Amino acid sequence: MNRKVQPLLEEINITPLTDIFLVLLIIMMVVAPMLNFRGLPAAFNPGSAEPGVAAANVLLVEVGADREFRVNGKATESDDLLQVLRAAADEFAGGAEIVVHPDAQLAGMVFALNAVERAGFDHVSVTARQGVPLGS
Amino acid sequence: MRRATDKSVIAEINITPLTDVFLVLLVIVILVAPFMASMRKGVRPPQVLGGTTLDPQALTLEIDRDGGYFIEGRHVPRSELADTLSARVPSLPEKTLVIRGDRESQSAATLTAMDAARSAGVEQVILAGISQTEPRAPLPARTRLGGPRP
């Protein structure tokens, strides 16, 4: 008696391919947030600055210890900082100087730097507030 | 005599898909490992809007919440920071230093690092942050759901 002959399976097995792509998808989902870094160029001015005093045509942005901002000596809320800086961008051709209190958190300093950059200032420098020496 | 069309049953597990998956995993781990090595756990950079793309090959200095310095995962005492940078900078193709600091670290630590970098011959310092999406402008009243029709 003849045994029944099974037909040949003439399709490509895509299971390994699917496995690989699923693993790739999971890895990309895990790694993607870690790669989402951007950078802000920052020029450091070694001379410490006196609070409230800036060179001619240079806008002074002060970052205080408790995330308080002052633009040319005037207290400014963080929500209004970008708007104030944009309004002043055309007036100060010499650029902007960010004076940072050393006790200020980095988030405040980066926030000010980001706002100055977005406001359209060409020359931006970061300096430490006078009277507070940096560690060495 | 056995017929030519008869096929014996293969009673073994097909490990080809498993091997494929592990080979892909191996390649990904090899590619990602150098990047992950330079990323210190617990450092949460501040958020930035816009900014420039970071060069993954650039020398990266990490600053943790307590103001500790780390280069390629190794702790660098503050007193040795300038010397360490001075030793590394001449071999860099571009004299750029990326500073990836914790958002809650004191700015003094970053300013000190920027000062040391300048002394070491770094031409450009870049402060790294996590990209934040631009907040969307509110829709005009006419297109809001439930808004007045024109």
Side-chain angles (χ1 to χ4, degrees), chain A residues 37 105-107, chain B residues 40-47 62-65 100-105 128-130:
Chain A
F37 284 109
Q105 289 187 345
L106 180 63
Chain B
R40 185 167 178 77
K41 284 183 180 178
V43 173
R44 297 183 308 141
Q47 292 187 322
E62 290 186 293
I63 304 173
D64 67 9
R65 190 178 171 180
R100 189 189 298 145
D102 190 281
R103 63 184 69 168
E104 293 182 7
S105 64
I130 295 176

Side-chain angles (χ1 to χ4, degrees), chain B residues 22-77:
Chain B
F22 277 102
L23 281 176
V24 171
L25 277 174
L26 180 67
V27 171
I28 290 170
V29 168
I30 290 171
L31 291 176
V32 173
F35 183 81
M36 299 296 281
S38 68
M39 185 181 292
R40 185 167 178 77
K41 284 183 180 178
V43 173
R44 297 183 308 141
Q47 292 187 322
V48 296
L49 274 169
T52 58
T53 307
L54 292 178
D55 178 9
Q57 304 298 325
L59 181 63
T60 301
L61 172 70
E62 290 186 293
I63 304 173
D64 67 9
R65 190 178 171 180
D66 300 324
Y69 297 111
F70 298 86
I71 295 177
E72 293 172 349
R74 284 181 298 179
H75 178 252
V76 178

Side-chain angles (χ1 to χ4, degrees), chain A residues 42-128:
Chain A
F44 179 68
N45 181 1
S48 57
E50 193 175 338
V53 178
N57 288 332
V58 175
L59 183 70
L60 191 71
V61 181
E62 294 174 78
V63 183
D66 295 322
R67 203 181 164 89
E68 59 219 10
F69 301 98
R70 301 180 79 84
V71 178
N72 268 356
K74 185 180 176 185
T76 306
E77 294 291 327
S78 58
D79 291 342
D80 303 330
L81 185 62
L82 180 60
Q83 195 178 353
V84 170
L85 292 173
R86 277 183 175 154
D90 294 334
E91 204 178 326
F92 294 89
E97 183 165 17
I98 301 173
V99 181
V100 185
H101 191 290
D103 287 338
Q105 289 187 345
L106 180 63
M109 173 176 147
V110 169
F111 183 83
L113 187 64
N114 202 181
V116 168
E117 185 206 43
R118 293 176 67 209
F121 285 88
D122 292 331
H123 306 288
V124 184
S125 63
V126 181
T127 188

